[in-house]
Structure formats: structure tokens, C-alpha cells
């Protein structure tokens, strides 16, 4: 199934399908999904009936916009099994989100769903350069979170050896990399930098490791952060995208050209909407990603609002794939900060900081409200040379950072320089934002 070209393709039939054939397949699978959801999921039956729409009324892909959205609130209201479209006896796997705000969202998989999931992950792992000869170390936490299991079974489908390391215990992660000759690292990008930091403290040269590729997801990250990871770990770092409510990792992933994440359009229909109005935006527009599943049996999702902000590219990629590509997510519509009426994404701040020599790749945003005015404070770790520099030079550096941030963001921020290793490290996703306005 894997060709010998530089840009290997796992499933050429679907990844290189002509657009006309792909859209016909999408329509057929969409109609089957709508029928299954309408018949077996009370939430969807009610939503359709409320607007007087039946599955047979959807006769084209353009008709998809007539359907109502599904939100995380729908999943919470139907906790735990109300959104399942098959009897529980047909569900062979149950995962859920972290449930950091209220009840977690619960998702299920049939045997067919798991087979499809493994195949979708094998696609983007192959595109990123993973082969049967690789040793894949998974540094995601195992458990109800979908990330570790998705990459685990995708790796096994390819034929690679899997080290189910799990999250945390960074020094042991490094020992395993050294002893087991790990060639591919899986985890969050922020944890990749944590590993890089620990390598430095242990005086381990990354060139002495066998690492070649890194597959990172679970949180937004910038091109500057990619460059930092690639330089410090001496690997090729690729991005991938997924979310538990839709399937987990496997929705999209980069090839070695790193010019957008290829969406598995035979399994998902992607739309970009205005997050305020819900209107579908024209191709190339930046907005909120909405996904509809086309192959899920246990847990179909119709027009699920991901809250992730991105845009889609429809031109075929140089790697040979014809699938649409999504750009790196620049944040979430519900995590987006609004400071004095200006929309601010943490990824914008990250781009600025990575471009300034002396700033470490660790920062934290603190938003507060004083009276009727919002304030943004950015704590930035800086190198010891700058932190212990004379006051005049430190002040000049601080003013440079504040000026560049204001130029990009369009709003002022108070920058506070802190010593190295002051900001807490996280084994999983980094907590970049602390919003105290609602505390």
C-alpha cells in the first residue's frame, strides 16, 4: 500500500481522487449518514423536525448548509450515550474529552469505526514520513483521551513498532529514546520543547538520538515554534489535526511539503463559517471549521462546530494528493481573546516572541479587567543573559518586545520578563492563557 516515492501515499484511491468523484462519494455517504442519524439519534430527529427538513431533502452538497449545527452543548445535554446511533452492544470503544468545563463529552466506536480510524491515522503518518521501519514513541497520555490510541493503532497499521510510553516522566522518555532507538516522536508541540529543555539539562546532544520525525498535535502552534522544535530536536516536525467529538486524530495531517494539513474528505465534509453569523464563507476565507462525518457508525456528527479558526486550500498539493488542505489553526473562536474590542489569538503573540532573540519558547498571557478596561499582561521567559543584564539594556529589550507586539496585535500589552524555568511546564497541553475577567 505504500509507494516508494519521496511523498509516500497510504490510500491512493481516496487521497488522490478527482474532485468530481470525491464529491459524488461525499454526497452518497452524507445521505446515508443523515438517514442513520435521523432514525437513531433523538437529538438529530428533533433538530430536523423543528425546521421541517427530512434527510431525503438533502440532494446536493450545497444543501448541507440548510441543516442545523451540532455543538458541544448538544453532546453535554445528551450525556453519556444519547448521541449514539447504534445500540451499546455494538460499541467496542468509548472515549471522552477531558471534561474541564462540566461533564465530559462521550464518544463511541464500532469495530468498523476503529478500522476506519486506524486507516485515517495511517494516512497522515505515512504522509509525514513514517514507514514500517520506524520505532514510534507515543508521549500522549493513554486513557479516555483519543490522541494516544489513534496514533498507536495508526502506527501498527503501517507496520511500525510502537512504544506506548504515555505522557510525562521526561527523563525516562529520553532514556527510552536513547536505548530503544526511537525514530518518531508523537505528542504535543509544547511537550516536544519540554523534552528539548530536558535534553539540554542532561547534556544530551539531540544528534546522538535516532529521532527523524515528530508528529505533533493537540494544540495550536506556530511556524516559529515548528522551526524551534526542528532545530532543537534535529527532526522534521509535522502538524496533524483531530478532535474527540469527530473521531480523534485522523481528520487532517501534513505531508512533507508542510503547506497545509490534508483533510480526509472521503470521511469528513469541511466547511468554513463566520463564527458570529453561522454563514458559510467562500473558499479561502478565514473562519470557524465545521465538520460532518461521513463514515462514523456509532457516533455520527452533523455540522459540528469545532470552534477552531482556520481556512481551506483547494488547489492540489505537490505531493500528489487532491484533498483540500486546512491551514494551521490560529486559535479557537471560544478561546479567542477580545481585548478592548480587538480580537487577539495567542498564536499571533507566539509568532512575535519566537522572532525576538533572547525570548525563550515559554510564555503566559494573563487577562484582567480593571474597572471597565481590559488589560493584557504577557509573562515571557528570557535567557539568563538578558534577565541579569544591566537595567538600561533590559528596559530597551522590554520596549522592543512591547512595540512589536502592539504593531501585530493592534492593542497594548504589559510585558513582564521572568527568569528561565519560571513558567510552569506541562506534560500535555500548555496553559497559555489565564483569563481572570470571569473569575
Amino acid at each position: 500500500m505504500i509507494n516508494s516515492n519521496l511523498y509516500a501515499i497510504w490510500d491512493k484511491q481516496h487521497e488522490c481522487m478527482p474532485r468530481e468523484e470525491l464529491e459524488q462519494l461525499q454526497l452518497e455517504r452524507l445521505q446515508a449518514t443523515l438517514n442513520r442519524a435521523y432514525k437513531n439519534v433523538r437529538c438529530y430527529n428533533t433538530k430536523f423536525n423543528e425546521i421541517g427538513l427530512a434527510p431525503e431533502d438533502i440532494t446536493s452538497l450545497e444543501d448541507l448548509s440548510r441543516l442545523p449545527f451540532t455543538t458541544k452543548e448538544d453532546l453535554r445535554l445528551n450525556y453519556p450515550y444519547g448521541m449514539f446511533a447504534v445500540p451499546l452492544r455494538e460499541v467496542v470503544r468509548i472515549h471522552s474529552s477531558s471534561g474541564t468545563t462540566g461533564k465530559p463529552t462521550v464518544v463511541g466506536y464500532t469495530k468498523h469505526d476503529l478500522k476506519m480510524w486506524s486507516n485515517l491515522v495511517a494516512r497522515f503518518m505515512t504522509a509525514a514520513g513514517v514507514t514500517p521501519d520506524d520505532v514510534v514513541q507515543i508521549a500522549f497520555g493513554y486513557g479516555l483521551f483519543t490522541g494516544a490510541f489513534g496514533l498507536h493503532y495508526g502506527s501498527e497499521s503501517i507496520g511500525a513498532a510502537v512504544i506506548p510510553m504515555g505522557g510525562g516522566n521526561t527523563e525516562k522518555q529520553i532514556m527510552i529514546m536513547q536505548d530503544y532507538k526511537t525514530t518518531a516522536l508523537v505528542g504535543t508541540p509544547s511537550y516536544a520543547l519540554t523534552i528539548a529543555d530536558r535534553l539540554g539539562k542532561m547534556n544530551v546532544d539531540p544528534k546522538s538520538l535516532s529521532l527523524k520525525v515528530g508528529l505533533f498535535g493537540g494544540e495550536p502552534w506556530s511556524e516559529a515554534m515548528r522551526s524551534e522544535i526542528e532545530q532543537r530536536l534535529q527532526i522534521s516536525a509535522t502538524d496533524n489535526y483531530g478532535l474527540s467529538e469527530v473521531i480523534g486524530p485522523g481528520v487532517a495531517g501534513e505531508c512533507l511539503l508542510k503547506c497545509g494539513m490534508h483533510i480526509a474528505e472521503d470521511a469528513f465534509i469541511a466547511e468554513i463559517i463566520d463564527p458570529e453569523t453561522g454563514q458559510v464563507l467562500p473558499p479561502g476565507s478565514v473562519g470557524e471549521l465545521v465538520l460532518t462525518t461521513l463514515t462514523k457508525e456509532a457516533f455520527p456528527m452533523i455540522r459540528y462546530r469545532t470552534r477552531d479558526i482556520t481556512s481551506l486550500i483547494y488547489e492540489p498539493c505537490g505531493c500528489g494528493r487532491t484533498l483540500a488542505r486546512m491551514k494551521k489553526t490560529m486559535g479557537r473562536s471560544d478561546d479567542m481573546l477580545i481585548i478592548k474590542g480587538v480580537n487577539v489569538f495567542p498564536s499571533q503573540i507566539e509568532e512575535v516572541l519566537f522572532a525576538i532573540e533572547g525570548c525563550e519558547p515559554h510564555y503566559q498571557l494573563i487577562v484582567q479587567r480593571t474597572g471597565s478596561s481590559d488589560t493584557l499582561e504577557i509573562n515571557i521567559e528570557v535567557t539568563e543573559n538578558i534577565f541579569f543584564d544591566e537595567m538600561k539594556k533590559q528596559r530597551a529589550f522590554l520596549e522592543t518586545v512591547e512595540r512589536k507586539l502592539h504593531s501585530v496585535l493592534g492593542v497594548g500589552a504589559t510585558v513582564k520578563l521572568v527568569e528561565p524555568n519560571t513558567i510552569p511546564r506541562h506534560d500535555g497541553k500548555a496553559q497559555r492563557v489565564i483569563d481572570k475577567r470571569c473569575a
Side-chain angles (χ1 to χ4, degrees):
M1 295 181 75
I2 301 175
N3 63 38
S4 58
N5 296 332
L6 176 61
Y7 303 120
I9 298 174
W10 175 258
D11 183 355
K12 194 168 186 179
Q13 176 187 354
H14 293 104
E15 295 182 75
C16 303
M17 186 177 286
R19 171 68 42 184
E20 186 176 339
E21 292 181 26
L22 174 60
E23 291 181 350
Q24 180 59 38
L25 178 63
Q26 285 182 319
L27 180 59
E28 292 171 4
R29 290 181 170 180
L30 173 63
Q31 290 169 332
T33 295
L34 294 178
N35 278 302
R36 184 186 309 115
Y38 182 77
K39 179 180 178 182
N40 299 310
V41 183
R42 181 178 297 178
C43 176
Y44 285 125
N45 184 278
T46 300
K47 281 177 176 285
F48 283 32
N49 289 340
E50 283 178 348
I51 61 173
L53 201 64
E56 54 266 28
D57 295 327
I58 305 301
T59 60
S60 69
L61 293 179
E62 289 71 28
D63 287 337
L64 183 62
S65 62
R66 299 169 62 190
L67 297 172
F69 295 113
T70 306
T71 65
K72 185 164 282 191
E73 184 62 19
D74 290 317
L75 276 59
R76 289 182 178 136
L77 289 173
N78 289 278
Y79 174 88
Y81 301 137
M83 298 296 288
F84 285 19
V86 298
L88 199 56
R89 65 177 178 274
E90 295 182 26
V91 174
V92 298
R93 174 80 63 76
I94 296 172
H95 281 287
S96 76
S97 66
S98 58
T100 52
T101 55
K103 292 283 190 180
T105 55
V106 180
V107 297
Y109 301 77
T110 64
K111 286 183 179 180
H112 178 267
D113 290 336
L114 289 181
K115 183 178 180 181
M116 176 62 71
W117 189 18
S118 299
N119 180 66
L120 294 177
V121 176
R123 288 188 194 182
F124 79 73
M125 294 191 75
T126 296
V130 177
T131 74
D133 296 324
D134 280 302
V135 178
V136 182
Q137 185 164 326
I138 298 177
F140 277 131
Y142 280 78
L144 291 174
F145 174 57
T146 55
F149 284 96
L151 274 294
H152 184 121
Y153 291 114
S155 300
E156 290 185 342
S157 293
I158 291 172
V162 182
I163 304 173
M165 184 66 192
N169 204 345
T170 307
E171 291 197 4
K172 188 173 182 181
Q173 296 270 7
I174 293 170
M175 182 195 77
I176 294 295
M177 288 179 196
Q178 293 172 311
D179 296 347
Y180 295 10
K181 307 299 182 186
T182 302
T183 60
L185 176 65
V186 169
T188 61
S190 58
Y191 189 55
L193 288 178
T194 297
I195 290 174
D197 287 343
R198 196 63 57 87
L199 284 170
K201 291 178 181 177
M202 296 170 63
N203 293 316
V204 175
D205 185 348
K207 292 180 181 179
S208 69
L209 302 175
S210 300
L211 282 180
K212 298 184 301 181
V213 298
L215 299 99
F216 304 116
E219 60 190 15
W221 51 306
S222 64
E223 286 299 324
M225 192 171 186
R226 186 211 300 272
S227 297
E228 180 86 8
I229 291 170
E230 290 186 330
Q231 187 272 323
R232 296 182 66 188
L233 291 182
Q234 293 292 299
I235 60 174
S236 169
T238 58
D239 198 1
N240 61 80
Y241 176 82
L243 60 168
S244 298
E245 298 90 336
V246 175
I247 198 171
V251 175
E254 287 182 319
C255 67
L256 292 174
L257 291 176
K258 304 173 187 176
C259 55
M261 292 177 278
H262 296 274
I263 299 175
E265 290 189 278
D266 55 305
F268 310 97
I269 296 177
E271 303 171 90
I272 298 293
I273 66 166
D274 183 318
E276 298 296 326
T277 67
Q279 294 297 309
V280 177
L281 298 175
S285 302
V286 175
E288 180 184 336
L289 178 67
V290 172
L291 292 171
T292 298
T293 65
L294 299 176
T295 60
K296 290 286 294 294
E297 292 181 340
F299 200 79
M301 282 282 100
I302 299 169
R303 301 198 81 199
Y304 182 71
R305 293 191 62 164
T306 69
R307 297 294 181 179
D308 289 315
I309 301 296
T310 185
S311 62
L312 303 180
I313 306 165
Y314 285 94
E315 292 78 16
C317 180
C319 71
R321 293 172 178 82
T322 56
L323 303 170
R325 286 164 284 152
M326 61 178 282
K327 292 186 177 180
K328 276 181 172 289
T329 57
M330 56 182 297
R332 290 175 56 83
S333 61
D334 52 357
D335 287 345
M336 178 181 68
L337 298 172
I338 301 178
I339 311 294
K340 299 178 181 177
V342 178
N343 294 344
V344 175
F345 290 97
S347 58
Q348 293 175 296
I349 296 170
E350 184 175 290
E351 288 280 3
V352 174
L353 299 183
F354 270 91
I356 300 175
E357 185 177 354
C359 289
E360 294 286 328
H362 302 288
Y363 63 94
Q364 195 165 63
L365 317 180
I366 301 173
V367 188
Q368 302 186 75
R369 180 162 292 151
T370 305
S372 59
S373 180
D374 294 335
T375 61
L376 173 62
E377 178 183 299
I378 307 176
N379 293 338
I380 305 169
E381 286 189 13
V382 292
T383 59
E384 290 185 354
N385 289 342
I386 290 174
F387 192 81
F388 293 109
D389 215 334
E390 62 183 72
M391 192 62 67
K392 185 177 179 180
K393 289 183 179 180
Q394 191 179 119
R395 184 63 208 170
F397 178 84
L398 190 65
E399 290 174 352
T400 297
V401 175
E402 289 182 340
R403 185 176 64 253
K404 290 187 176 182
L405 284 169
H406 189 276
S407 175
V408 170
L409 303 178
V411 65
T414 300
V415 175
K416 182 180 179 182
L417 306 181
V418 299
E419 295 182 55
N421 302 309
T422 302
I423 296 172
R425 302 295 192 262
H426 298 267
D427 293 334
K429 299 181 182 182
Q431 185 181 7
R432 299 295 197 197
V433 180
I434 298 176
D435 193 337
K436 297 183 177 180
R437 290 173 296 184
C438 299

